[in-house]
Amino acid sequence: MCVVRPAARALASALRQRAAASVSGLAATRGGRPLPGGDGGGSPPGAAGCRSLCSRIALREGLVFRQLYESSSSTYTYLLADSNSAEAVIIDPVLETVERDLMLVSQLGLTLKIAVNTHCHADHITGSGRLKRQVSGLRSAISRLSGASADLLLDDGDSIPFGRHVLTVRETPGHTDGCVTLVLGDQSLAFTGDALLIRGCGRTDFQQGCANRLYNSVHQKIFTLPDQCLIYPAHDYKGQTVSTVGEERRFNPRLTRSREEFIDIMNNLNLEKPAKIDEAVPANLVCGLHDI
C-alpha cells in the first residue's frame, strides 16, 4: 500500500480549498444536475470568463506537475515532468491550446517525450498531431482498444516512463472501449479521463458506451487505489480541480449506488450529443499521426 506523505495531503487540501473558493457561486447555480452536451456528461460554464486558466505545481520527489484548462470543452490537460532529466509527458492535449502548452514546456526547460490521450475524445480535437509536428521525437499514445492509430498503443499494465517516474496504464472502459486511467508509480495521483469525474462520471450513451462496464471499471480499477490517491479527471463543469479516491467512494452520487441503480441513472440522462462529435472523433482516431 502506498504511504502518502504530508506534502501530498497538503497539496490535496490546498487545491480543494482554492477550487471551492473560486467557484462557489457557479456550483450553487448549477445545483449538481446533469447538464446537456459535453463528452463527460455535462456542459461548460455559460460565462467564458468564469474560470481562468488553471495551473498547479507539485514538487514531490522531483516531480513537476501542471494542471491546465481549456474553456470551450472544459478539458483539463496535464503536464508531468522529472525535475532532474526534464523528460515530460502531456496528458489529453487540446488542439486550441497547443501553443500555450509548448510555451510552458519551453519556459520550464522540459523535453516533451509522449503525448497520451486517455481515450478518443468526442468533444474536442486532440492536440497530439500539432504537437508532433512541432516537437521532434515526440510520440503519441492511446489505448489499443480505442481503435485509434498512434505511435504507442497501450495495454493494461503498460508503463509510460519519464525520468525517474512512471505512469501505469489501467484499462477503464465503459465511457468508450478505449478509456484508460494513468496512475503515478507511487499511486499518489491518478488521471482518470472520463471514466471517473469529480462527483460524476463519463456518459455511456454513445461511442461504445456501456454503463455496466463503466461501473466495473471504476469499482475494480480506480476505487481499489489508496483512499488518499488524488483524482484528476479529463473534464469538470463546476470549477472543481481535484478529488481523492476516498472522497469519490463516499460521495460520488452515481457510483455510490448499486449497479442496477447506476445503470438506470446512466440510461436516463437524456443529454445532447457533443457539438463537435462529428468532427472530433474522426480526427482523434488518427491520434496525431497525421496533420490536423
Side-chain angles (χ1 to χ4, degrees):
M1 179 174 290
C2 166
V3 177
V4 179
R5 296 168 176 80
R9 289 193 293 270
L11 173 65
S13 176
L15 292 180
R16 286 195 295 273
Q17 291 173 8
R18 190 176 304 176
S22 64
V23 297
S24 58
L26 175 64
T29 61
R30 295 289 170 170
R33 295 187 301 276
L35 300 174
D39 190 5
S43 66
C50 69
R51 180 164 44 167
S52 61
L53 176 68
C54 178
S55 179
R56 311 292 187 218
I57 184 168
L59 294 174
R60 183 189 298 110
E61 296 184 352
L63 176 71
V64 177
F65 171 52
R66 290 290 193 279
Q67 181 184 38
L68 304 162
Y69 181 67
E70 194 282 312
S71 61
S72 65
S73 61
S74 298
T75 298
Y76 285 127
T77 294
Y78 300 98
L79 179 67
L80 296 90
D82 179 85
S83 60
N84 284 352
S85 69
E87 291 186 353
V89 173
I90 194 167
I91 300 172
D92 288 334
V94 179
L95 181 64
E96 288 80 2
T97 52
V98 162
E99 297 306 321
R100 174 203 67 188
D101 299 343
L102 287 175
M103 179 178 294
L104 180 59
V105 168
S106 175
Q107 289 172 342
L108 298 180
L110 304 177
T111 302
L112 200 55
K113 306 297 287 187
I114 296 176
V116 56
N117 284 284
T118 54
H119 62 292
C120 185
H121 298 275
D123 62 352
H124 68 270
I125 297 176
T126 176
S128 298
R130 185 166 293 177
L131 285 168
K132 281 172 57 65
R133 194 162 64 233
Q134 299 189 48
V135 179
S136 177
L138 177 66
R139 294 183 293 172
S140 59
I142 198 168
S143 167
R144 186 183 304 277
L145 299 177
S146 68
S149 299
D151 299 313
L152 300 172
L153 296 178
L154 304 172
D155 295 308
D156 194 67
D158 282 353
S159 296
I160 301 174
F162 55 105
R164 297 165 294 166
H165 303 283
V166 65
L167 291 169
T168 301
V169 176
R170 293 192 176 201
E171 291 176 351
T172 48
H175 172 61
T176 72
D177 281 350
C179 287
V180 297
T181 290
L182 304 171
V183 182
L184 194 66
D186 65 358
Q187 297 191 349
S188 61
L189 308 175
F191 302 91
T192 55
D194 283 17
L196 179 64
L197 306 180
I198 299 172
R199 308 299 192 266
C201 62
R203 59 195 293 180
T204 58
D205 58 335
F206 62 82
Q207 269 192 298
Q208 319 99 40
C210 175
N212 186 58
R213 292 186 75 194
L214 182 57
Y215 190 88
N216 287 338
S217 292
V218 173
H219 280 269
Q220 296 173 10
K221 295 295 187 69
I222 300 176
F223 282 177
T224 52
L225 290 165
D227 280 355
Q228 301 92 336
C229 178
L230 300 178
I231 296 294
Y232 288 100
H235 302 278
D236 189 81
Y237 309 98
K238 300 177 186 177
Q240 302 165 111
T241 58
V242 64
S243 184
T244 68
V245 169
E247 282 187 27
E248 296 307 313
R249 288 181 63 192
R250 294 179 61 195
F251 304 124
N252 191 294
R254 296 178 184 176
L255 287 152
T256 52
R257 305 291 189 93
S258 69
R259 180 189 304 273
E260 292 73 20
E261 290 173 322
F262 176 76
I263 292 172
D264 183 64
I265 290 170
M266 299 307 293
N267 287 344
N268 290 282
L269 292 178
N270 299 317
L271 301 173
E272 296 178 2
K273 288 189 175 180
K276 288 187 175 181
I277 186 171
D278 292 334
E279 177 186 9
V281 171
N284 291 335
L285 284 173
V286 300
C287 196
L289 284 182
H290 307 293
D291 288 351
I292 295 175

